[in-house]
Amino acid sequence: MPDAATEPAKRGRPRRGPDPERFREIVDAAAEVFLEKGYSATSIQDISDRVGILKGSLYHYVRSKEDFLYRIIKDVYDEAIDDIRKIGEGEQEPLARLAAFIRAHVRFAAAHLTAYTIQLREFEQLSAERREEIRQGGETYVEALQAILEDGQAAGLVDASLQVRLASIIITGELNSMTRWYSPKGSLEPDQLADVYVGMVLTSVASEAAVTKAGGVEALRTEFALGQG
Amino acid sequence: MPDAATEPAKRGRPRRGPDPERFREIVDAAAEVFLEKGYSATSIQDISDRVGILKGSLYHYVRSKEDFLYRIIKDVYDEAIDDIRKIGEGEQEPLARLAAFIRAHVRFAAAHLTAYTIQLREFEQLSAERREEIRQGGETYVEALQAILEDGQAAGLVDASLQVRLASIIITGELNSMTRWYSPKGSLEPDQLADVYVGMVLTSVASEAAVTKAGGVEALRTEFALGQG
Amino acid sequence: MPDAATEPAKRGRPRRGPDPERFREIVDAAAEVFLEKGYSATSIQDISDRVGILKGSLYHYVRSKEDFLYRIIKDVYDEAIDDIRKIGEGEQEPLARLAAFIRAHVRFAAAHLTAYTIQLREFEQLSAERREEIRQGGETYVEALQAILEDGQAAGLVDASLQVRLASIIITGELNSMTRWYSPKGSLEPDQLADVYVGMVLTSVASEAAVTKAGGVEALRTEFALGQG
Amino acid sequence: MPDAATEPAKRGRPRRGPDPERFREIVDAAAEVFLEKGYSATSIQDISDRVGILKGSLYHYVRSKEDFLYRIIKDVYDEAIDDIRKIGEGEQEPLARLAAFIRAHVRFAAAHLTAYTIQLREFEQLSAERREEIRQGGETYVEALQAILEDGQAAGLVDASLQVRLASIIITGELNSMTRWYSPKGSLEPDQLADVYVGMVLTSVASEAAVTKAGGVEALRTEFALGQG
DNA sequence: CATGAATGAGATTTCATTCAT
DNA sequence: CATGAATGAAATCTCATTCAT
């Protein structure tokens, strides 16, 4: 995976590549502006203003405006994929795994709020080839969720009549929608938000047996909570 | 609400403005393109190409590109507000009202998929004044939802420990996220989707009492379903 | 031969196409500047200045700077090909055909001096696809010349030991080089120049027999001359 | 001839300038690229890529892009002038001198193909001062040729009715056009090509007397040939 | 010598908008 | 109403050149 596509401005032979810290600084500036104005409505000028550099100078780091978007999205995407893989490696119980999945997602989205939001909003603005390349990343959130729900059904803990694929899509949308309003500057900590999500999602799919086992819906709703932040 | 801004090209002589059908046709074309490419990434050319007209000609119908966006959003927004007002006027029982609210939302979003999606995605691209003007429309979805949930808590049917404001935001996001994947061309009918949403949302907020009353979570999950479409 | 490639700015459906006279005016202006400064050294600004228009306005007529070059070259090329085809349709005698070919070439180059010069100089600046497309035009000057010389050898009028292919290339270069210095503003008429070319080229390839038949080299050198202009 | 302009980076301290071999290497790289893409279409990047160096580094050798062009052209030009001077110093007979001139030209062009081609094509891209400076080099090819032809007419060996100035220009164009197709990689040796040129050019200007003296055109055409290479 | 960051100017192209016909 | 030419501003990108390290 040499990823030559954005290896900033590698044309000829030499080039150790530019200072990676500076590069990150610049990509982060781009991300901020993309978040505020939207990718298409952002000009290269906007980015260079944010960095405090002339617009032409940005092309030291990147070959096109789209490269910025690509970098931002590729990076979160790769990390997100890693994250998914690790989830529930310990947990065997499906509802516990579901809870862990949700919490991981909320934490991740909160930790990479800017980039993750951009990925959700602007993915379609990437060129077809790059969209394809990134999508190959493998298993998606939806698929991972679906697998957990299926395990849950097999274990009798998830409502057997649930349309698992559809539910996964709905839950994913529910979780992702936090990017539309969540701010790290607010008083709501990621883990507190995760507690709420976990409670709502679990009860929205739990089987009768799961509810009973937990001692009722309200009990189930707090069973996997971390408590006050 | 004089709304002169987009009253298509009313200037100078006593003109009744252009053929309203043609106008709708053109605004719909604009909406299609905005949906496909995003507002900022759409050029006036793109729209005129879709209509089969030269770009200069569009200015007979509209005074600026933003007018298209405004028209599209204003129209759905107004209809949506009307819709909300009607909800549950009959229903007195909070969970029934919640179910009705959800169903109405799904139906509405499905019926106005393009415009509603654009409203969600591109609202921020409107000028500050127009955003302001539109927002004055009144009570939002979130507030309406919140009111229902509060009634539910008062009636002991919604989990008393639920953070109602937060839950309303989450549920709204969950419902709105259907615009990211739902297609009227698929085999899933709006009412079928609503059934699923209703089941998941209701159980995600229901109190112990509500569950018991319904005869268990699974029962509650289908209590307000319309059944097969 | 729809030739959509430069059909000026046809994006959507409609478009009868712009005023062809204005288009020609603009392409001619571009040709002038290309001739003076060279294609690569010419900016779109240079062209628009020459036309007396803003640079952006040029994109009404053309989709890229290269389109100008393409138009210029394609047009002369097509006419040149037509020209070649007609040559010597009457003449049966090889040396007469050779003389006619040379005269036609000189007249053509003089008549289309700007465009023909650009074609010779800047052909390589076209994109690979366009070069390919144009080359398909068919038989080239060199091939046409070669055919005439071969006929001449068969008839014993061209030196049998001549390397016909090589001679054709050399003669073509000799003829084309007039674009490097010829000016219609000078006192040398195209037909006078053609007389000189005809005399020099014919004697440079003539067989012993041809010379004898003409009554000597000097006689041969004037045999196909039109005389004073 | 102080020529400080490109005396590679001699400023400030007592420096002998950079390694001349490295300098030549770099200028040669520039020449290659100029030949392939044309001077104006070549970027400093292109050159530095070819050398395998970063573009900023080129400015250790040269003060501007034009300096490369100047170096290349100046060098061939100077050598070419030297070459002309030597021609025919031995030969007294005009046709022999003409043959020697042609052979020398072909050899020279073949030996310095890249630089000579660039000189022909890109001379006009030099600044006015540098063009002037170089032209002062003295007598040009055309003038040298013209002198030979005039001697030939005086000796009765060149067609008396020939417009000598015009013929010189034509022959020069004929010879120079070899740069448009000749390749040292092909099987045609410079001397073989020179044989052909000599034969064609001599018969194209020879007087009746010269032909008779040689024993016919065909004989004249091979009289000064070196034969198979 | 070479690097790599940056500059500043300019190149090509796009695009919303206007307007005479 | 529609056209098509044009505007004027801005957007993306290129590039020769400089310079501290």
Side-chain angles (χ1 to χ4, degrees):
Chain A
M1 297 157 190
D3 185 12
T6 32
E7 207 63 23
K10 171 195 286 178
R11 243 184 275 209
R13 250 41 44 72
R15 193 61 60 96
R16 258 199 325 277
D19 179 3
E21 279 181 40
R22 181 68 169 143
F23 182 53
R24 187 113 297 279
E25 205 176 316
I26 286 170
V27 172
D28 286 350
E32 274 176 40
V33 193
F34 288 167
L35 185 67
E36 287 167 24
K37 313 183 63 162
Y39 171 72
S40 293
T42 296
S43 75
I44 284 287
Q45 188 61 272
D46 291 331
I47 300 172
S48 65
D49 284 354
R50 184 71 53 112
V51 181
I53 219 180
L54 290 180
K55 62 188 154 138
S57 307
L58 288 179
Y59 290 83
H60 241 283
Y61 299 92
V62 121
R63 280 222 260 284
S64 71
K65 182 182 158 186
E66 199 212 355
D67 277 4
F68 281 119
L69 185 58
Y70 174 75
R71 247 304 132 219
I72 294 164
I73 292 184
K74 182 89 165 79
D75 286 353
V76 250
Y77 200 92
D78 287 350
E79 259 201 272
I81 293 298
D82 276 10
D83 239 55
I84 290 182
R85 293 237 165 77
K86 288 177 211 142
I87 288 165
E89 278 177 353
E91 315 285 353
Q92 294 314 322
E93 208 261 304
L95 292 194
R97 272 201 6 251
L98 180 53
F101 179 90
I102 294 165
R103 186 169 308 277
H105 181 282
V106 173
R107 283 174 173 168
F108 184 86
H112 305 84
L113 195 56
T114 299
Y116 189 68
T117 304
I118 290 169
Q119 188 235 350
L120 285 175
R121 266 198 219 154
E122 313 283 10
F123 187 80
E124 299 298 318
Q125 303 285 348
L126 287 173
S127 69
E129 305 88 64
R130 283 181 156 176
R131 263 177 292 163
E132 214 41 62
E133 186 213 323
I134 289 181
R135 276 205 195 98
Q136 298 191 341
E139 197 186 16
T140 64
Y141 270 123
V142 172
E143 285 158 355
L145 233 186
Q146 187 172 345
I148 295 175
L149 293 180
E150 280 163 355
D151 289 355
Q153 285 184 323
L157 297 169
V158 165
D159 190 330
S161 65
L162 195 74
Q163 296 175 57
V164 166
R165 171 81 188 160
L166 185 52
S168 305
I169 292 170
I170 289 172
I171 293 167
T172 301
E174 183 179 2
L175 294 174
N176 281 338
S177 70
M178 71 174 271
T179 60
R180 295 182 60 97
W181 56 268
Y182 183 77
S183 163
K185 288 175 202 147
S187 60
L188 188 68
E189 292 300 312
D191 271 329
Q192 291 176 296
L193 176 58
D195 284 349
V196 177
Y197 266 122
V198 166
M200 290 180 68
V201 172
L202 259 64
T203 52
S204 75
V205 300
S207 68
E208 213 63 66
V211 171
T212 308
K213 184 177 158 205
V217 253
E218 300 190 357
L220 176 57
R221 215 166 265 137
T222 55
E223 187 173 350
F224 297 95
L226 286 190
Q228 247 41 355
Chain B
M1 298 159 188
D3 186 10
T6 36
E7 208 60 28
K10 173 197 285 179
R11 54 189 164 182
R13 254 29 64 86
R15 272 211 210 142
R16 287 159 305 109
D19 178 3
E21 277 183 42
R22 181 75 168 136
F23 181 56
R24 186 110 301 275
E25 207 178 294
I26 286 171
V27 172
D28 286 350
E32 273 177 41
V33 192
F34 288 167
L35 185 67
E36 287 167 25
K37 313 185 64 165
Y39 171 73
S40 292
T42 296
S43 73
I44 284 286
Q45 263 287 9
D46 291 330
I47 300 172
S48 64
D49 283 357
R50 183 70 55 112
V51 180
I53 220 179
L54 289 185
K55 64 182 163 160
S57 311
L58 288 180
Y59 288 82
H60 287 288
Y61 298 93
V62 119
R63 287 230 252 282
S64 73
K65 181 181 159 187
E66 199 211 357
D67 278 4
F68 280 118
L69 185 59
Y70 174 74
R71 251 301 134 219
I72 294 163
I73 291 184
K74 182 89 165 77
D75 287 353
V76 252
Y77 201 92
D78 287 350
E79 260 201 90
I81 293 300
D82 276 10
D83 239 54
I84 290 182
R85 293 239 166 74
K86 288 177 212 145
I87 288 165
E89 278 177 352
E91 314 286 353
Q92 293 314 323
E93 208 262 303
L95 291 195
R97 274 202 4 253
L98 179 53
F101 179 90
I102 293 166
R103 186 169 308 278
H105 181 282
V106 172
R107 282 175 173 167
F108 184 85
H112 305 83
L113 196 56
T114 298
Y116 189 66
T117 304
I118 290 169
Q119 187 235 350
L120 285 175
R121 267 198 219 154
E122 313 284 10
F123 187 81
E124 300 297 318
Q125 303 286 349
L126 287 173
S127 69
E129 306 87 62
R130 284 180 156 176
R131 261 176 296 165
E132 214 42 62
E133 185 212 324
I134 289 180
R135 275 205 196 98
Q136 299 192 340
E139 197 185 18
T140 66
Y141 270 124
V142 172
E143 286 156 353
L145 232 185
Q146 187 172 346
I148 296 174
L149 293 180
E150 280 162 354
D151 289 355
Q153 284 185 323
L157 297 169
V158 165
D159 190 330
S161 66
L162 196 72
Q163 297 175 57
V164 166
R165 171 81 188 159
L166 185 52
S168 305
I169 292 171
I170 289 173
I171 293 167
T172 300
E174 183 179 0
L175 294 174
N176 280 338
S177 71
M178 71 174 270
T179 61
R180 294 182 59 97
W181 57 268
Y182 183 77
S183 163
K185 288 176 204 148
S187 60
L188 188 68
E189 293 300 313
D191 270 330
Q192 291 176 297
L193 176 59
D195 283 351
V196 176
Y197 265 123
V198 166
M200 290 180 68
V201 171
L202 260 65
T203 51
S204 74
V205 300
S207 68
E208 212 62 66
V211 171
T212 308
K213 183 178 159 206
V217 253
E218 299 189 358
L220 175 57
R221 215 167 267 137
T222 54
E223 187 174 350
F224 297 95
L226 287 191
Q228 247 39 357
Chain C
M1 297 158 190
D3 187 9
T6 34
E7 206 62 24
K10 171 195 285 177
R11 244 184 275 210
R13 249 43 42 72
R15 193 60 61 97
R16 260 198 325 275
D19 179 5
E21 279 182 40
R22 180 70 169 141
F23 182 53
R24 186 113 298 278
E25 205 178 316
I26 286 170
V27 172
D28 286 350
E32 275 177 38
V33 193
F34 288 167
L35 184 68
E36 288 167 24
K37 313 183 62 163
Y39 170 72
S40 293
T42 296
S43 75
I44 284 288
Q45 187 63 271
D46 291 331
I47 300 172
S48 64
D49 284 355
R50 182 72 52 113
V51 181
I53 218 181
L54 290 181
K55 62 187 152 139
S57 308
L58 289 179
Y59 289 82
H60 242 284
Y61 298 92
V62 121
R63 281 224 259 282
S64 72
K65 182 181 159 186
E66 198 212 355
D67 277 4
F68 280 119
L69 185 58
Y70 173 75
R71 247 306 132 217
I72 294 164
I73 292 184
K74 182 92 166 76
D75 287 353
V76 250
Y77 202 92
D78 287 349
E79 259 201 273
I81 293 298
D82 275 11
D83 240 53
I84 291 183
R85 294 237 165 78
K86 287 176 213 143
I87 288 166
E89 278 178 354
E91 315 285 353
Q92 293 314 323
E93 208 262 302
L95 291 194
R97 275 209 353 258
L98 179 52
F101 179 90
I102 293 165
R103 186 169 308 277
H105 182 282
V106 172
R107 282 174 173 169
F108 183 87
H112 304 84
L113 195 57
T114 299
Y116 189 68
T117 304
I118 291 170
Q119 188 234 351
L120 285 175
R121 266 198 218 155
E122 313 284 10
F123 187 80
E124 299 297 318
Q125 302 286 349
L126 287 173
S127 69
E129 305 88 64
R130 283 181 156 175
R131 264 176 293 164
E132 215 42 63
E133 186 213 322
I134 289 181
R135 276 205 195 97
Q136 298 192 340
E139 198 186 16
T140 67
Y141 270 122
V142 172
E143 285 157 356
L145 234 185
Q146 188 172 342
I148 295 174
L149 293 180
E150 281 164 355
D151 289 354
Q153 284 186 322
L157 298 169
V158 165
D159 190 330
S161 66
L162 195 74
Q163 297 174 57
V164 166
R165 170 84 188 157
L166 185 52
S168 305
I169 292 171
I170 288 173
I171 293 168
T172 300
E174 183 180 0
L175 294 173
N176 282 337
S177 70
M178 70 175 269
T179 60
R180 294 181 61 96
W181 57 268
Y182 183 77
S183 162
K185 290 176 203 146
S187 60
L188 188 68
E189 292 300 312
D191 270 330
Q192 292 177 295
L193 176 59
D195 284 350
V196 177
Y197 266 122
V198 166
M200 290 180 69
V201 172
L202 259 65
T203 51
S204 74
V205 300
S207 68
E208 214 61 67
V211 170
T212 307
K213 183 177 158 205
V217 254
E218 299 189 358
L220 175 57
R221 217 167 263 138
T222 55
E223 186 173 351
F224 297 95
L226 286 191
Q228 245 42 355
Chain D
M1 297 160 188
D3 188 10
T6 36
E7 208 60 28
K10 174 198 284 180
R11 53 189 165 184
R13 252 30 62 86
R15 270 210 211 144
R16 287 158 305 110
D19 176 6
E21 278 183 41
R22 180 74 168 137
F23 181 56
R24 186 112 298 276
E25 207 177 295
I26 285 171
V27 172
D28 286 350
E32 274 176 40
V33 192
F34 288 167
L35 184 67
E36 288 167 24
K37 313 184 63 164
Y39 171 72
S40 292
T42 296
S43 73
I44 284 286
Q45 263 288 8
D46 291 330
I47 300 172
S48 64
D49 283 357
R50 184 69 54 112
V51 180
I53 219 178
L54 289 184
K55 64 180 164 160
S57 311
L58 288 179
Y59 288 82
H60 287 287
Y61 298 93
V62 118
R63 286 229 253 282
S64 73
K65 182 182 159 185
E66 198 211 357
D67 278 4
F68 280 119
L69 185 58
Y70 174 75
R71 251 301 134 218
I72 293 163
I73 292 183
K74 183 88 164 81
D75 287 354
V76 251
Y77 202 91
D78 287 351
E79 260 201 270
I81 295 299
D82 276 11
D83 239 54
I84 291 182
R85 295 237 166 76
K86 288 176 213 145
I87 288 167
E89 279 177 353
E91 315 286 352
Q92 293 314 322
E93 207 263 304
L95 291 194
R97 267 191 24 241
L98 179 52
F101 179 89
I102 292 166
R103 186 169 307 278
H105 182 282
V106 172
R107 282 175 174 167
F108 183 86
H112 304 84
L113 195 55
T114 299
Y116 189 67
T117 304
I118 291 169
Q119 188 236 349
L120 285 175
R121 266 198 221 154
E122 313 283 8
F123 188 80
E124 300 297 318
Q125 303 286 349
L126 286 173
S127 69
E129 307 87 62
R130 284 181 156 175
R131 263 176 295 165
E132 214 42 61
E133 185 212 325
I134 289 181
R135 276 205 194 97
Q136 300 192 339
E139 198 186 17
T140 66
Y141 270 123
V142 173
E143 285 156 354
L145 233 184
Q146 188 172 345
I148 295 174
L149 292 180
E150 280 162 354
D151 290 355
Q153 283 184 324
L157 297 169
V158 165
D159 189 332
S161 66
L162 196 72
Q163 298 175 56
V164 167
R165 170 81 188 159
L166 185 52
S168 305
I169 292 171
I170 288 173
I171 293 167
T172 300
E174 183 179 0
L175 293 174
N176 281 338
S177 71
M178 70 174 270
T179 60
R180 294 182 60 96
W181 57 267
Y182 184 76
S183 164
K185 289 177 202 146
S187 60
L188 188 69
E189 293 300 313
D191 271 331
Q192 291 176 295
L193 177 58
D195 284 351
V196 176
Y197 265 122
V198 166
M200 290 179 68
V201 171
L202 260 64
T203 51
S204 74
V205 300
S207 67
E208 213 61 65
V211 170
T212 307
K213 184 179 159 203
V217 253
E218 298 189 359
L220 175 57
R221 215 167 267 137
T222 55
E223 187 173 349
F224 297 95
L226 287 190
Q228 246 40 355

